[in-house]
Amino acid sequence: MAVLAGSMRAVAGGLSLGHVSQGSEAASPCSRSCPLPLSSFTTFDGLSPERTLSDASPSKSWKRRGTQNGWESCNCGGISRRQGSRGVVARSVLPSFPQKVDQKTKQRGISAAAGPVAATEPKKILMLGGTRFIGVFLARLLTQAGHEVTLLTRGKSPIAKQLPGEADEDFAEYSSKIKHLKADRSDVPTVKALLEGSGFQVVYDINGREASDTEHILDSLSGLEQYIFCSSAGVYMKSDLLPHREIDAGDPKSRHKGKLDTETLLQSRGVNWTSIRPVYIYGPLNYNPVEEWFFHRLKAGRPIPIPSSGLQITQLGHVKDLAEAFVLALGNEKAIGQIYNISGDKYVTFDGIARACAEAMDLPAPEIVHYNPKDFDFGKKKAFPLRDQHFFTSIEKAKQDLGWVPKFSLVDGLRDSYELDFGRGTYRKEHDFSVDDEILEKVRQRTAIPA
Amino acid sequence: MAAMAALAPSPSTATAVGLAAQRSSSSSRPTPAAATTTAAFGHTPSAQGKSRGSRSSSSSSSSSSSLEVSSCSSQRLVAGLGFQLSELLASSSSALSSSSSSPSSSLSSARRIPRRRSQGSAGAGGVSVVAASEPREVLIVNTNGGGHAVIGFHLAKALRSSGHGVTFLTVGEEASDKMKKPPFNRLAELREIGVATVWGDPSAVGAVVGSKQFDVVIDNNGKDMEAVQPVADWAKASGATQFLFVSSAGIYKTSDEPPHVEGDAVKESAGHAVVERYLASLFENWSSFRPQYITGSGNNKDCEEWFFDRIVRDRPVPIPGSGVQVTNIGFAPDMANMLALAVDKPEAASGIIFNCVSDRAVTFDGLVRLCAKAAGKEAKIVHYNPEAVGVEAKKAFPFRNMHFYAEPRAATEKLGWTPSGELGQILKERYQDYVASGRDKKDISFPIDDKIIEALKQPALAV
């Protein structure tokens, strides 16, 4: 029982979202997000390793490795538990019972917990933002973990909106629990009036940009136990030596300077603060056209124009993994005064993103057309959604301190985004291929063999 | 001060001190007879109770105090002499107080470190585990040429600074011309600190070391089963309990998703990969170290020199492709430190593959900039397409023309490994050595460069 209790604790901190298998008996939660490549799984007890993604692509199916007390274990060492019709809600990378760990698992260290899961008592949490992307997933995790979460927003978007694939009863429970304070966070007097004496113990600041957005919030909340800030890896100074690490210098000229200023403010205030620096975030409901830009072109069967060599290396992090990292920072002593890069476990080239998106859509590898951006002037239009440079960070510090590990591999994560969003016909921006056409025309002219 | 000269201090010595200090702090261990032993090896103990890890460049003194590290006193006696170890010990065995004296084989009569079993170290089934931090007998089988050679050189030093007994077996013959090149022309530095240097054929290790017992055998030589299997088989048969193999990050399969991380798919038929699988089947405690490119004092193969050659002569540096290709230049003392940590912490290292690389990658263009900065010059880069210009990328440029980027995640996580510094600083030290060697004044021709630059004068070929 002690073992099970331990894993329950782990579950509280390690709740997972949206491995929404539609009741398929053979589905294992780990399979969708396990970072181990399929080829690394060994057979166990005569079961063959295959993978289920969802009923949408039933071609692959995962076999459970074993069951004990209702907990399923995977070859990766993770455990999971079904809950009602939601499929699986819980996953942990802590092995729940003794099991033979194959060489590759041991190598990866997946089954070795990097640190204790931060299980805390219920907190009164204020979230600044929370209706758009990151906060939507984060607020659910926190609510499920038993915290009281209040969103402070202008009220322009619905406070709770049902997620694609979210079961009705889960959404009902969430909407009944989530609270709202209506205000513009930059409206200092209103915010002060709302927050003074409010008793919020923890702030998750998801939409702060400038230090001035944050100062009065800190002023109004005496008794604040922790301020967890969503910063950005965009603050890093460009460098020839990579990856970016948390100790590296920030760029005072970057357009994310406000994030850097906010971190400095938090540090100066002596409050228990934690800053999370994501790179490119992706996943269902993404309002930044990262994967969407590729999905549009792949769906249309168009070539993908990629600037320069296509070898630029960047990093995509799934929003659900990011939400879990945010949760693990809560009440975590190691996280006090610390900054954490949060993104995917592997980086990816620009060309590689195009291929990964195609794979996520079960499409063949696309035609990629490289071009020299200096040959063009697109005015205000963006030819490509990502900054034309190497841009990636080391996430090892977060793995070490928070016991966090990203669960989505790139292709699996893109598949999750596609199946829950774009693939259902929803997207944020209508496609515009005018820039693509301009590029393709010029490039084809250049490479056309003269008569 | 003769020992000082023999150590041939280079700017990298300072780094080595830092390194050893890092290792000593990461592997806290009780230090028996620290004062006497360190005096013998020119070390000063860093602090009471700390390990003998900190190397200092202060003078060494010959001390005949009784030493806990095996073979130490015999090494001191033969320092500077290039005899085969077996011969020496045969003559000096009588001078040693030895619990086991077999008249025939020399090495076996060398003092054996008594194993101290720490409390509760016996594993299930009564197997006793050698606790990390005990002095161990280590054999390094080292290649006699190429990029890896320098790793073994620094490794021997690192292991000695932790108090392990080290035998350094260079493949081939001592009289060979290869021994005139670094690091082999500096093996006296190893002897000075008590390393036994011997030569021989990896297919007949026993013939060289006799019946001397080793706890750890490290193969920093072979690329395939032909070279490594005999060493591994001999190590197993002779009772070594830990086997380390210096492999290669070149065996990773290419991927859209850098970096290469331990556990990623490798080219199964590659020689190093076959060896790794064999070692896994043979030894309970084995580790593999996969390096990329290597820089450091005593290097047998050019690395940054290629860049300095051009920069110091104010020549443009031709870089294939876009120049954003990312690679990893490891610092030999840091890489050696990684292996040494595995020897210090055998349980942590058991069965693990380690990327033996720096913790930061660098782009081709970035490397030129850092080398130029180290030389106090402006970088002049020209990009070219090797195919279009008509040169072989392999001959025109010292690194693979692609992303080749591994990260040392396993070492960081499992061994507590950290690098001693960053590439910019390392290149500054390397540049000082470059100039000190007089290479900047040498008359060198650049036929391939010239061809590239000439070709680039045609506007169609400009990248």
Side-chain angles (χ1 to χ4, degrees):
Chain A
M1 268 326 273
V3 162
L4 191 59
S7 51
M8 283 301 285
R9 269 194 74 242
V11 162
L15 287 175
S16 94
L17 286 158
H19 292 308
V20 188
S21 43
Q22 313 277 317
S24 162
E25 259 306 290
S28 162
C30 299
S31 60
R32 292 192 72 143
S33 58
C34 186
L36 292 179
L38 187 59
S39 60
S40 76
F41 292 114
T42 53
T43 58
F44 182 83
D45 290 342
L47 301 175
S48 62
E50 295 160 274
R51 234 193 268 192
T52 287
L53 298 167
S54 76
D55 283 342
S57 54
S59 51
K60 307 172 192 175
S61 66
W62 177 257
K63 298 262 167 69
R64 291 197 303 274
R65 193 180 162 207
T67 337
Q68 183 167 338
N69 294 328
W71 292 91
E72 299 176 346
S73 80
C74 295
N75 275 344
C76 71
I79 60 161
S80 62
R81 187 190 178 104
R82 296 191 173 288
Q83 199 147 326
S85 61
R86 285 185 270 175
V88 175
V89 291
R91 180 181 182 247
S92 164
V93 292
L94 298 174
S96 64
F97 40 85
Q99 55 193 286
K100 182 171 171 226
V101 179
D102 66 279
Q103 169 61 22
K104 290 215 164 75
T105 308
K106 182 179 179 187
Q107 176 67 52
R108 281 293 183 108
I110 302 276
S111 55
V117 169
T120 63
E121 60 196 19
K123 297 284 176 190
K124 189 171 179 183
I125 297 178
L126 175 70
M127 185 175 296
L128 306 171
T131 56
R132 209 170 170 202
F133 187 32
I134 303 168
V136 159
F137 296 97
L138 176 56
R140 274 169 174 74
L141 282 183
L142 293 167
T143 314
Q144 282 166 20
H147 302 292
E148 183 196 287
V149 182
T150 304
L151 308 182
L152 190 146
T153 76
R154 293 169 300 172
K156 294 202 166 174
S157 308
I159 301 314
K161 217 178 137 195
Q162 189 161 6
L163 296 177
E166 185 177 26
D168 289 344
E169 64 262 32
D170 293 337
F171 178 59
E173 197 178 324
Y174 175 68
S175 353
S176 70
K177 286 188 173 158
I178 195 73
K179 298 182 186 305
H180 182 229
L181 279 178
K182 184 169 173 175
D184 186 330
R185 74 176 279 175
S186 55
D187 179 354
V188 176
T190 310
V191 166
K192 276 195 157 176
L194 283 174
L195 295 187
E196 270 162 7
S198 59
F200 286 112
Q201 297 163 289
V202 176
V203 171
Y204 274 97
D205 182 352
I206 304 300
N207 59 14
R209 280 187 210 273
E210 305 296 331
S212 54
D213 296 338
T214 294
E215 227 166 340
H216 53 283
I217 311 252
L218 292 172
D219 291 338
S220 314
L221 294 171
S222 64
L224 180 66
E225 292 170 21
Q226 190 174 13
Y227 196 100
I228 304 174
F229 176 56
C230 186
S231 179
S232 167
V235 302
Y236 287 114
M237 183 98 77
K238 215 173 146 180
S239 172
D240 287 329
L241 287 167
L242 290 158
H244 293 300
R245 294 211 153 87
E246 292 86 349
I247 50 169
D248 292 347
D251 179 6
K253 296 193 201 131
S254 94
R255 63 185 178 89
H256 299 277
K257 170 98 178 16
K259 302 278 194 184
L260 215 48
D261 293 339
T262 308
E263 289 174 350
T264 309
L265 171 73
L266 291 166
Q267 171 73 352
S268 70
R269 284 300 198 95
V271 68
N272 285 348
W273 65 280
T274 302
S275 179
I276 302 284
R277 292 179 180 169
V279 188
Y280 287 115
I281 312 168
Y282 74 105
L285 303 183
N286 196 1
Y287 57 81
N288 188 9
V290 174
E291 68 269 50
E292 183 182 287
W293 187 89
F294 290 90
F295 288 157
H296 272 307
R297 281 144 187 84
L298 289 162
K299 182 176 176 194
R302 294 184 57 99
I304 317 285
I306 292 185
S308 308
S309 62
L311 294 178
Q312 302 89 316
I313 300 174
T314 189
Q315 191 179 18
L316 270 57
H318 199 287
V319 65
K320 292 172 192 174
D321 283 330
L322 176 59
E324 288 205 21
F326 269 114
V327 171
L328 286 171
L330 180 61
N332 192 329
E333 274 184 21
K334 282 190 183 173
I336 295 172
Q338 297 301 323
I339 296 167
Y340 298 102
N341 298 327
I342 298 292
S343 194
D345 199 41
K346 292 281 207 123
Y347 321 129
V348 61
T349 62
F350 285 1
D351 284 0
I353 299 175
R355 288 189 273 268
C357 285
E359 197 181 327
M361 295 168 76
D362 286 327
L363 289 174
E367 184 195 348
I368 293 172
V369 173
H370 294 127
Y371 63 96
N372 186 348
K374 292 183 185 143
D375 291 343
F376 300 88
D377 179 8
F378 301 119
K380 288 202 174 156
K381 287 188 175 178
K382 255 176 128 180
F384 191 71
L386 311 173
R387 24 162 104 51
D388 188 2
Q389 61 176 75
H390 289 317
F391 180 42
F392 56 95
T393 69
S394 166
I395 59 169
E396 301 301 297
K397 184 184 173 187
K399 284 184 186 175
Q400 183 112 335
D401 278 8
L402 306 179
W404 167 84
V405 64
K407 292 173 180 167
F408 283 100
S409 69
L410 182 62
V411 171
D412 280 354
L414 289 168
R415 217 181 270 274
D416 180 78
S417 177
Y418 181 76
E419 284 170 2
L420 294 175
D421 194 357
F422 193 94
R424 295 180 182 214
T426 52
Y427 46 82
R428 310 296 93 70
K429 245 187 115 182
E430 200 60 57
H431 60 76
D432 175 4
F433 300 136
S434 56
V435 167
D436 298 47
D437 288 333
E438 204 185 320
I439 293 167
L440 293 170
E441 199 188 311
K442 202 164 195 171
V443 169
R444 279 166 183 165
Q445 266 175 22
R446 191 165 267 178
T447 53
I449 300 160
Chain B
M1 292 305 281
M4 257 311 271
L7 278 167
S10 62
S12 54
T13 306
T15 333
V17 173
L19 272 174
Q22 175 233 306
R23 281 190 52 231
S24 67
S25 56
S26 67
S27 59
S28 55
R29 81 171 70 95
T31 308
T36 47
T37 43
T38 53
F41 296 106
H43 305 171
T44 45
S46 49
Q48 200 60 265
K50 273 213 160 196
S51 86
R52 289 167 275 199
S54 55
R55 286 190 63 217
S56 78
S57 33
S58 58
S59 59
S60 66
S61 53
S62 10
S63 159
S64 54
S65 50
S66 71
L67 303 167
E68 293 228 357
V69 182
S70 95
S71 309
C72 280
S73 47
S74 55
Q75 304 320 313
R76 298 289 309 153
L77 290 174
V78 307
L81 303 173
F83 295 160
Q84 276 247 342
L85 186 63
S86 46
E87 294 168 26
L88 288 162
L89 287 172
S91 57
S92 63
S93 60
S94 53
L96 303 168
S97 54
S98 168
S99 47
S100 68
S101 42
S102 61
S104 53
S105 176
S106 42
L107 278 169
S108 64
S109 63
R111 265 198 68 197
R112 180 110 174 74
I113 306 167
R115 272 207 202 166
R116 288 181 305 284
R117 303 220 145 85
S118 48
Q119 301 284 37
S121 66
V127 173
S128 49
V129 175
V130 175
S133 83
E134 286 184 8
R136 311 172 75 197
E137 279 299 320
V138 185
L139 170 69
I140 302 171
V141 177
N142 211 70
T143 175
N144 57 16
H148 286 198
V150 66
I151 301 175
F153 177 67
H154 289 279
L155 177 56
K157 294 191 174 191
L159 290 168
R160 282 304 295 143
S161 77
S162 278
H164 299 297
V166 180
T167 302
F168 189 88
L169 191 164
T170 307
V171 168
E173 284 162 32
E174 194 186 353
S176 140
D177 276 344
K178 294 188 176 196
M179 297 300 107
K180 295 179 182 162
K181 291 181 71 185
F184 308 106
N185 55 10
R186 291 171 59 182
L187 292 189
E189 290 172 39
L190 298 187
R191 287 189 286 274
E192 266 300 312
I193 57 171
V195 174
T197 56
V198 292
W199 281 258
D201 194 329
S203 63
V205 176
V208 186
V209 304
S211 54
K212 179 167 173 67
Q213 276 259 263
F214 294 97
D215 301 303
V216 188
V217 175
I218 303 176
D219 186 305
N220 182 36
N221 172 56
K223 300 180 191 189
D224 50 36
M225 284 291 273
E226 193 187 327
V228 185
Q229 184 171 5
V231 178
D233 289 347
W234 168 85
K236 175 87 179 179
S238 70
T241 51
Q242 186 181 18
F243 195 94
L244 306 186
F245 175 51
V246 179
S247 177
S248 168
I251 61 176
Y252 283 111
K253 282 190 177 165
T254 56
S255 158
D256 278 339
E257 297 183 40
H260 296 304
V261 164
E262 300 93 343
D264 283 355
V266 298
K267 300 164 203 166
E268 301 286 331
S269 58
H272 295 101
V274 178
V275 169
E276 287 177 352
R277 290 200 296 277
Y278 182 68
L279 295 173
S281 73
L282 201 60
F283 290 95
E284 270 231 25
N285 191 326
W286 70 281
S287 306
S288 180
F289 295 81
R290 296 175 177 168
Q292 286 192 232
Y293 302 112
I294 302 158
T295 180
S297 171
N299 205 350
N300 190 267
K301 184 177 174 182
D302 275 1
C303 179
E304 68 282 1
E305 293 84 349
W306 188 92
F307 297 85
F308 289 150
D309 281 345
R310 286 145 181 83
I311 290 166
V312 93
R313 291 165 180 79
D314 289 314
R315 292 187 59 102
V317 183
I319 297 291
S322 60
V324 304
Q325 302 92 311
V326 152
T327 190
N328 192 313
I329 316 284
F331 186 44
D334 285 344
M335 300 163 77
N337 212 41
M338 197 187 286
L339 280 98
L341 278 170
V343 173
D344 290 347
K345 306 179 186 183
E347 296 90 54
S350 178
I352 304 297
I353 293 166
F354 297 97
N355 287 337
C356 196
V357 296
S358 162
D359 76 332
R360 300 265 197 178
V362 66
T363 61
F364 288 176
D365 282 359
L367 185 54
V368 177
R369 285 189 278 266
L370 289 174
C371 286
K373 194 163 171 208
K377 298 244 184 186
E378 280 291 314
K380 274 189 260 177
I381 299 171
V382 290
H383 294 124
Y384 67 98
N385 180 335
E387 266 179 41
V389 161
V391 295
E392 265 187 75
K394 256 186 178 175
K395 293 188 176 157
F397 191 67
F399 304 133
R400 297 182 176 196
N401 184 14
M402 56 192 282
H403 284 315
F404 180 30
Y405 171 20
E407 277 187 0
R409 294 188 187 181
T412 309
E413 191 198 316
K414 297 184 196 295
L415 300 177
W417 175 87
T418 54
S420 61
E422 51 89 41
L423 189 58
Q425 182 55 40
I426 291 164
L427 288 171
K428 283 200 170 91
E429 292 177 8
R430 300 307 312 129
Y431 181 70
Q432 285 170 35
D433 279 6
Y434 176 87
V435 168
S437 74
R439 185 160 161 171
D440 58 332
K441 303 279 187 289
K442 269 177 84 178
D443 196 11
I444 310 178
S445 69
F446 300 87
I448 303 182
D449 285 36
D450 290 337
K451 183 173 178 185
I452 293 168
I453 292 163
E454 195 54 46
L456 288 175
K457 287 178 181 166
Q458 300 168 47
L461 291 174
V463 168

